[in-house]
Amino acid sequence: MLRLGYKASAEQFGPNELLEYSILAERRGFDSVFISDHFQPWRHTGGHAPYSIAWLGALGARTSRILMGTSVLTPTFRYHPAVVAQAFGTLGAMFPERLILGVGTGESLNEVPALALAWPEPKERTARLKEAVALIRQLWSEPRVSFDGQYYRTDKATIYDRPKSLIPIYVAAAGPVLAKYAGQFGQGFICTSGKAPELYRDTLLPNVTAGIQASHRTPDAVDMMIEMKVSFDSDLGRATQDTRHWAALALSAEEKMSVEDPLEMERLADQLPAERAARRWIVSTDPDEHVERIRPYIEMGFRHLVFHAPGPDQARFLNLYADQVLPKLRAAFG
């Protein structure tokens, strides 16, 4: 089954505005809404960073059908995993079968300013994530948990309010180690569009498959989700200019390494030419072109597409995409 979702950009919009857009997404036929969990945005000027867990409670109360979750939350630094287990246990009990916990290893932009910590190397961040996921699942599954890990500990801890079935955990990955982990231990895999095709073809997808095989599960046990960067408008100039707000996405890993201040990230992003800022996005006024440029991702195996639009008028995007692009995608790919 093809799922078509909406990315609620918490870095760009305040909580009330973002809520109304997400309610509209459900009304216009989108299947899911995923919100980022940032302590700070990519841009200081006009930036936002609403608290995702509280916001999901409001979204669940104001909607009835959509799947909803984080893309992604880091359950290792700002949040102790036991607190994440409690928070999502409550949300899952209130909105059964609708909640997804999407997790990742985090970014220094969000964790360092809040905690004044030294940002660990990837190996430690990965180990923390794996341990956190194990603890969260144990807290959801067992009545009293005394956990003695390398990074986290609990003493006869109980999550009293939780859903009858375990909340799916989706794992975000940009490299082979976590991609395999997502395939072996996750109910979903998350990545983003617009990167080199060989990253998906040669690194991410083979490792997800290897993880699935190691877990002795069938491929449909893992929801293959990708955030699609799309800018769609009847005015090509407007669609291109809209991507400027998200120019930081075009920065290389080296250019933004250890950048923990939104003002500095904004300065670096604003130095990029418009063509480079738009490079990560599918920018077009033609719905058929959008379908054709999305096609390779679906053919690679992604069946849950969460559309991230960069423009300030998200209602305009949602209505245009629901009218002109979603029906074509469903007709072409089911």
Side-chain angles (χ1 to χ4, degrees):
M1 181 179 68
L2 190 67
R3 285 177 174 161
L4 305 176
Y6 170 61
K7 179 63 183 287
S9 299
E11 306 87 351
Q12 191 174 3
F13 302 100
N16 294 317
E17 196 175 8
L18 203 61
L19 181 60
E20 295 305 320
Y21 292 144
S22 300
I23 292 167
L24 175 62
E26 179 180 72
R27 192 159 66 241
R28 291 311 319 268
F30 286 79
D31 301 312
S32 64
V33 171
F34 282 82
I35 185 171
S36 47
D37 181 78
H38 281 197
F39 184 77
Q40 297 192 141
W42 291 95
R43 296 184 66 86
H44 175 76
T45 305
H48 295 275
Y51 178 46
S52 70
I53 297 174
W55 187 87
L56 284 168
L59 179 64
R62 294 284 304 277
T63 55
S64 60
R65 175 184 56 81
I66 50 167
L67 292 172
M68 55 186 187
T70 48
S71 182
V72 292
L73 176 146
T74 302
T76 52
F77 296 105
R78 285 181 293 133
Y79 306 119
H80 190 284
V83 174
V84 175
Q86 181 192 25
F88 275 77
T90 297
L91 289 169
M94 295 176 72
F95 313 111
E97 310 299 329
R98 294 181 57 197
L99 199 68
I100 291 165
L101 172 57
V103 298
T105 58
E107 298 165 320
S108 62
L109 179 72
N110 296 300
E111 310 303 322
V112 171
L115 302 173
L117 54 78
W119 190 234
E121 293 299 314
K123 183 177 181 179
E124 179 182 332
R125 301 202 308 270
T126 298
R128 282 179 174 272
L129 180 67
K130 291 179 178 180
E131 187 173 297
V133 169
L135 174 52
I136 289 167
R137 286 205 171 115
Q138 193 171 342
L139 285 163
W140 284 343
S141 305
E142 299 176 14
R144 286 164 68 82
V145 176
S146 294
F147 189 90
D148 187 16
Q150 182 178 358
Y151 302 104
Y152 309 106
R153 293 172 178 82
T154 62
D155 181 20
K156 298 184 287 294
T158 299
I159 303 299
Y160 287 90
D161 298 288
R162 55 191 177 187
K164 293 179 181 178
S165 56
L166 291 181
I167 296 164
I169 296 179
Y170 288 21
V171 178
V177 174
L178 278 174
K180 184 175 181 180
Y181 173 77
Q184 189 168 3
F185 296 104
Q187 284 75 50
F189 167 67
I190 301 174
C191 65
T192 59
S193 70
K195 298 182 179 181
E198 55 268 25
L199 174 66
Y200 309 101
R201 184 183 63 243
D202 301 337
T203 300
L204 296 180
L205 295 176
N207 277 284
V208 173
T209 298
I212 291 171
Q213 292 171 347
S215 69
H216 305 291
R217 295 187 293 172
T218 59
D220 60 3
V222 178
D223 185 15
M224 300 296 290
M225 175 178 144
I226 186 167
E227 288 189 8
M228 295 297 308
K229 310 295 183 189
V230 296
S231 191
F232 180 69
D233 198 278
S234 55
D235 180 339
L236 183 59
R238 178 174 180 168
T240 303
Q241 187 60 33
D242 282 348
T243 66
R244 289 293 313 171
H245 183 92
W246 289 89
L249 293 178
L251 293 168
S252 67
E254 292 74 22
E255 287 171 318
K256 60 186 177 183
M257 184 180 296
S258 300
V259 177
E260 294 147 4
D261 187 340
L263 281 167
E264 176 61 11
M265 190 75 77
E266 181 178 326
R267 185 189 69 79
L268 292 172
D270 286 347
Q271 293 177 344
L272 300 180
E275 308 79 50
R276 187 174 167 195
R279 194 178 298 167
R280 286 285 305 275
W281 303 80
I282 296 174
V283 182
S284 174
T285 61
D286 182 356
D288 290 320
E289 182 179 353
H290 271 254
V291 171
E292 289 310 305
R293 292 180 65 182
I294 290 167
R295 179 186 295 275
Y297 295 97
I298 295 175
E299 291 178 345
M300 281 189 284
F302 293 103
R303 303 296 294 176
H304 191 166
L305 313 179
V306 177
F307 295 104
H308 177 195
D313 191 345
Q314 294 282 289
R316 177 181 173 86
F317 163 76
L318 287 164
N319 285 315
L320 285 171
Y321 228 65
D323 287 338
Q324 299 185 39
V325 181
L326 299 193
K328 289 179 179 290
L329 286 170
R330 290 190 171 113
F333 306 109

